[in-house]
Amino acid sequence: MPIDYAAELNPEQYDAVTNIDGPLLIIAGAGSGKTRVITYRMAYMLEHGVAQHAILALTFTNKAAKEMQGRVKDITKKPLRDVTVSTFHAFGVKILRKDIGVLGWRDNFSIYDEADRNQLIKDCARELGFRMEAFDPYAIGQLFSEIRTGQRPWSKADDAYRGLYDEYRRSLRIYNAVDFDDLIVMPIEIFELSPEARQRYRERYRYIMIDEFQDTSLIQYSMMRHIASHNVCAVGDDDQSIYSWRGANYENIAKFEEDFPGVREIKLERNYRSTSTILEAANALISHNTNRKEKALWSPEGVGGTPIELYAPEDEMEEAQFIARNIRATKAGEHVPWDDFGILIRINALTRWIEESLLAENVPYRISGGTSFFGRKEIKDVISYLRVIANPDDDINLIRILNTPRRGIGKVTLERLGNIARAKDCSLRTVMELVRAGESPEGFVLSSQGAEESEGRQAFGGLTEKAITDIGLFLDLIEEHREEILGKKRIAEKVRKLVDQVDYWSYLIEENKQNDKAAKWKFHNVENFIQMIDRWEKDPDNLSPGIFNWLNRISLITRDDGEDDEGGKVNLMTIHAAKGLEFRYVYIAGCEDGIIPHAKSLEEGEGNLEEERRLFYVAVTRARKKLYITSALRRRRQNQVVDQKPSPFLEEIPAHLVEHRGNEATLTDEEGEDFFGKLNAVFGADATDEGGKEGEA
């Protein structure tokens, strides 16, 4: 049965779907049905006689490619064996598998990931005589990537690495290997060296579509340009270009118009996601950017929606408490699933307080685009000590801390202990207890001389006297602190004593020799973790403090991420990770000058203010029904409390769209005046009455 495209699509979408001949630029605003247009356009091509093998759709993630292909199958009810829906890199692999011989490689090449690349760079550096103590293969790998992809030219400061770069490239060829950047660059080199190969791809892929066109880099654009002939469609939104730091160039939209004369442009401005309040705010905000296509999102439903709520908490703790408690109250009042809530942050450093408050309110959550506070290595190390103290037979956490900090119990010793534990079906801790006591399990004998056999029995693994002594000292340490920490009082104080006794600070210094700031930051996180325990212990509502209850609380975070019966988890994520997603309720935290826009980003380039505004625009347009924005009066930075200013972007949201929430109960008269003064300065309106009404909320 033929598809009724006019019934399935709005007029602009229908126009975009049915124009399949010639170059086409689709400017698809946030929430305007971009993926729907792409998939229906592919279905329309197939229905109108375009061969499957002639269609190529390029996107940026495997998830997007899989979703796109699945939707087309659902629409057409046909198998799509020959349609190519792929990421740029996967398509590059396809080209290299067939034509890499043009460049002198064999077709059974290996693809090196970042770890492989860094290891090869280290090996090449050693061969060339570099001083390895101060060598950072990750930083050099980033430099080589930027050079290879044309993001930057060689500079005098980089001269020392030119020879290393040449050796790295030579080694890849010797090993018949390519790295991730080569998957895009090498197809371009093939097309430039072999016009026959280029023409073959041009003749096959006569209909090309590029999703998220504003995110393409110059080399991705070049790759497409080599094989695109006439029927090419670019779909994107310059207002959502937020990845310049990884090579994306929104100016490719202008380049597309230059390279394909006669290109037709269609704008999708009907937003099916957000209320008109949110859309009006987004339009006003993004209109301050000058380098953009003019467009204005609007809602076909014409629903005004509730005002955007701006909350100015005293500090990050009050900010986090507001977010967590508001989510719980909304969940209870509206009976919506947890995954209807999105908490968006500009920088990963903001997660710590928000996570603590979500825990306190028993709100399940997941983190995307950043690292959970509880997932950072230094925090996991301390948690592992506490888990072993709580459960002596926890082998997984025991292995993590056995040599952290280093105490002479190396991999060989651990392997021997593990072999015995598996053979006797007991825990590592049990085997270690026997070692310390000078006993041996049945069938094994202790031996400090080697792994020789004795009277037909297997030796105990050949542990040295030093290894046996170190094992004993480790067990003594755990038992000493187990007795203290399992008590009901002053857990935080005892955890701090444990951290000091194992000399975790010296371990961090040793692990971060080239970066003392990193060591200080990690130790600061450990101190924050201990303070978190301290506040939990002193909470008058906590009727049962104790290490077991504390570990049970954080198991919500450290267990495998799965869906629960109440509708998933709250989404805590960076704004970059939120692109392409939507939530009924959105909270944008830390909306302060220096965070949004980010001070470091502004230092790196003049054009970055517009990208920071685009990033805030992306955050605003993730909200479907309700948007909350928090801007703290002060925030802790490097153990100092610093006064904050509201983000200048807040001035760009029309005042009539915003309702102010204050919590005067926590502020002195002077602080209250300062709080409302800042809001007045931002919005040029009297926020006092609004704030007073909401103050007790």
Side-chain angles (χ1 to χ4, degrees):
M1 184 175 179
I3 301 167
D4 187 348
Y5 292 95
E8 295 289 339
L9 307 163
N10 70 38
E12 296 80 21
Q13 292 174 334
Y14 180 82
D15 200 12
V17 164
T18 57
N19 275 277
I20 61 173
D21 295 317
L24 179 65
L25 176 60
I26 302 173
I27 303 298
S32 63
K34 171 178 66 68
T35 304
R36 185 176 185 82
V37 166
I38 293 173
T39 52
Y40 270 89
R41 197 168 188 273
M42 292 170 69
Y44 186 86
M45 289 178 189
L46 295 171
E47 198 173 84
H48 286 76
V50 176
Q52 287 194 18
H53 69 261
I55 299 174
L56 169 64
L58 295 172
T59 187
F60 280 85
T61 66
N62 290 321
K63 180 181 178 183
K66 187 175 180 181
E67 179 188 359
M68 203 178 290
Q69 191 151 17
R71 284 205 197 180
V72 179
K73 284 182 180 179
D74 290 341
I75 294 167
T76 62
K77 311 299 182 188
K78 296 177 181 178
L80 301 176
R81 297 186 182 91
D82 293 329
V83 173
T84 303
V85 183
S86 169
T87 65
F88 276 92
H89 288 89
F91 184 59
V93 172
K94 187 172 184 177
I95 295 170
L96 296 184
R97 290 294 178 203
K98 187 172 183 61
D99 292 297
I100 199 170
V102 171
L103 302 177
W105 266 254
R106 300 182 300 281
D107 58 10
N108 62 339
F109 60 88
S110 301
I111 301 172
Y112 278 13
D113 61 17
E114 186 176 282
D116 297 328
R117 179 192 70 181
N118 292 347
Q119 185 59 53
L120 181 56
I121 289 172
K122 283 173 67 175
D123 293 343
C124 292
R126 284 195 186 93
E127 291 176 13
L128 295 176
F130 277 75
R131 288 180 58 249
M132 301 310 295
E133 309 86 57
F135 189 81
D136 185 348
Y138 175 80
I140 302 305
Q142 289 297 107
L143 168 65
F144 288 180
S145 178
E146 290 171 5
I147 297 293
R148 180 72 169 142
T149 58
Q151 292 181 58
R152 59 174 289 187
W154 285 104
S155 68
K156 287 186 177 181
D158 306 323
D159 279 349
Y161 301 108
R162 283 179 180 262
L164 178 57
Y165 177 81
D166 292 340
E167 181 61 23
Y168 168 69
R169 297 300 313 166
R170 190 177 76 88
S171 298
L172 282 174
R173 186 158 187 160
I174 290 171
Y175 298 144
N176 198 44
V178 300
D179 63 21
F180 206 58
D181 297 319
D182 289 331
L183 302 182
I184 307 295
V185 177
M186 290 177 78
I188 296 172
E189 293 173 343
I190 289 170
F191 297 147
E192 290 174 347
L193 280 172
S194 174
E196 295 82 4
R198 180 178 60 191
Q199 187 60 29
R200 189 173 359 106
Y201 286 95
R202 280 194 168 196
E203 289 175 357
R204 172 169 180 174
Y205 298 111
R206 294 182 292 107
Y207 292 84
I208 298 176
M209 283 184 288
I210 305 98
D211 184 24
E212 302 287 7
F213 191 71
Q214 77 283 345
D215 293 337
T216 54
S217 65
L218 288 173
I219 61 164
Q220 286 168 334
Y221 180 87
S222 176
M223 179 187 186
M224 177 277 295
R225 184 70 185 90
H226 273 289
I227 62 173
S229 52
H230 184 61
N231 301 322
V232 57
C233 173
V235 186
D237 180 9
D238 51 341
D239 288 338
Q240 297 187 71
S241 178
I242 59 174
Y243 294 114
S244 66
W245 47 274
R246 69 182 191 195
N249 191 335
Y250 72 94
E251 293 179 353
N252 281 345
I253 291 177
K255 193 171 178 61
F256 182 83
E257 292 175 307
E258 293 173 7
D259 289 344
F260 294 93
V263 61
R264 182 172 182 187
E265 180 181 300
I266 297 173
K267 291 180 181 177
L268 306 181
E269 298 171 289
R270 299 191 195 202
N271 177 284
Y272 293 92
R273 175 187 300 159
S274 308
T275 65
S276 57
T277 297
I278 293 168
L279 297 181
E280 187 179 346
N283 288 333
L285 171 72
I286 202 63
S287 68
H288 288 78
N289 276 6
T290 56
N291 296 317
R292 63 183 291 265
K293 292 274 189 182
E294 287 295 328
K295 71 185 79 67
L297 301 177
W298 59 280
S299 171
E301 304 298 327
V303 180
T306 58
I308 296 166
E309 293 195 24
L310 173 63
Y311 180 54
E314 182 179 6
D315 56 21
E316 62 269 83
M317 186 183 298
E318 189 179 289
E319 173 184 60
Q321 288 172 346
F322 162 74
I323 292 172
R325 290 170 182 172
N326 189 276
I327 288 174
R328 177 157 282 288
T330 303
K331 160 100 169 118
E334 300 292 331
H335 305 290
V336 292
W338 291 116
D339 54 15
D340 265 357
F341 298 90
I343 307 170
L344 310 186
I345 54 174
R346 175 65 179 89
I347 54 175
N348 199 39
L350 298 184
T351 61
R352 175 236 165 154
W353 295 97
I354 296 173
E355 288 189 74
E356 182 175 352
S357 290
L358 293 173
L359 269 176
E361 295 296 324
N362 292 315
V363 173
Y365 69 93
R366 65 166 64 83
I367 287 189
S368 305
T371 304
S372 165
F373 178 77
F374 299 97
R376 296 172 186 176
K377 181 185 181 304
E378 61 274 16
I379 304 304
K380 289 174 73 174
D381 286 345
V382 179
I383 291 174
S384 289
Y385 270 101
L386 299 181
R387 290 199 186 283
V388 170
I389 284 169
N391 175 14
D393 294 318
D394 185 339
D395 280 358
I396 292 174
N397 285 289
L398 180 69
I399 290 170
R400 182 180 183 90
I401 64 171
L402 200 54
N403 210 34
T404 305
R406 291 181 177 82
R407 51 173 60 89
I409 307 175
K411 290 181 180 177
V412 174
T413 299
L414 182 59
E415 183 181 13
R416 290 168 178 168
L417 294 173
N419 289 338
I420 297 169
R422 281 190 294 273
K424 294 302 172 185
D425 194 23
C426 63
S427 69
L428 277 174
R429 176 68 171 265
T430 300
V431 177
M432 293 168 71
E433 293 280 7
L434 293 171
V435 169
R436 180 176 60 175
E439 302 174 7
S440 65
E442 182 182 351
F444 291 84
V445 295
L446 290 174
S447 171
S448 60
Q449 304 301 318
E452 71 275 4
E453 294 188 0
S454 174
E455 298 178 1
R457 293 177 297 173
Q458 184 182 352
F460 193 80
L463 299 177
T464 64
E465 291 292 347
K466 182 179 184 308
I468 294 171
T469 300
D470 289 335
I471 288 169
L473 291 173
F474 172 78
L475 292 175
D476 292 343
L477 171 78
I478 296 299
E479 287 166 6
E480 173 191 343
H481 289 279
R482 176 177 167 81
E483 189 174 333
E484 291 191 6
I485 290 176
L486 289 188
K488 295 285 185 182
K489 296 180 180 179
R490 304 198 314 277
I491 299 173
E493 178 184 317
K494 294 166 184 174
V495 173
R496 185 177 283 109
K497 179 181 175 183
L498 169 64
V499 169
D500 289 342
Q501 188 166 335
V502 301
D503 199 8
Y504 196 76
W505 166 244
S506 294
Y507 168 73
L508 290 176
I509 290 291
E510 179 65 24
E511 290 294 299
N512 298 273
K513 286 181 179 178
Q514 308 303 320
N515 191 349
D516 61 335
K517 286 185 179 179
K520 290 176 182 176
W521 173 250
K522 291 173 186 290
F523 198 72
H524 176 67
N525 286 337
V526 171
E527 180 58 33
N528 283 337
F529 177 72
I530 295 170
Q531 290 173 7
M532 193 182 290
I533 299 175
D534 186 52
R535 279 191 299 278
W536 176 75
E537 283 188 284
K538 293 175 180 176
D539 184 347
D541 294 329
N542 182 6
L543 303 179
S544 183
I547 192 61
F548 291 104
N549 284 338
W550 171 255
L551 291 173
N552 286 340
R553 288 178 81 240
I554 62 175
S555 67
L556 175 71
I557 312 308
T558 54
R559 73 185 180 190
D560 289 339
D561 186 30
E563 300 295 318
D564 65 16
D565 294 333
E566 293 187 77
K569 298 182 179 183
V570 169
N571 300 274
L572 172 56
M573 57 179 51
T574 62
I575 301 173
H576 282 99
K579 185 170 174 292
L581 303 177
E582 59 182 67
F583 307 99
R584 185 176 299 187
Y585 305 95
V586 166
Y587 301 77
I588 305 175
C591 193
E592 299 138 35
D593 196 12
I595 299 178
I596 304 175
H598 196 274
K600 185 177 179 182
S601 177
L602 297 185
E603 290 171 3
E604 292 174 352
E606 291 182 8
N608 285 358
L609 177 62
E610 293 211 348
E611 177 151 340
E612 288 292 310
R613 186 179 284 109
R614 292 194 294 269
L615 191 60
F616 189 48
Y617 170 83
V618 166
V620 169
T621 54
R622 298 313 93 193
R624 296 204 305 265
K625 179 179 179 181
K626 184 71 177 180
L627 176 62
Y628 299 89
I629 300 174
T630 59
S631 177
L633 287 172
R634 53 191 67 87
R635 196 173 289 276
R636 290 171 180 81
R637 292 189 178 186
Q638 299 296 325
N639 288 326
Q640 292 184 329
V641 177
V642 180
D643 287 339
Q644 297 291 98
K645 294 180 181 179
S647 167
F649 294 152
L650 292 177
E651 298 180 54
E652 299 170 2
I653 299 177
H656 70 276
L657 301 176
V658 179
E659 184 177 277
H660 307 285
R661 295 177 66 117
N663 193 349
E664 300 93 317
T666 65
L667 306 177
T668 65
D669 290 342
E670 183 178 340
E671 289 171 329
E673 288 179 12
D674 180 52
F675 163 55
F676 291 113
K678 286 182 177 179
L679 291 181
N680 288 335
V682 170
F683 288 96
D686 184 5
T688 307
D689 291 340
E690 295 271 16
K693 291 176 185 176
E694 298 292 343
E696 301 303 320

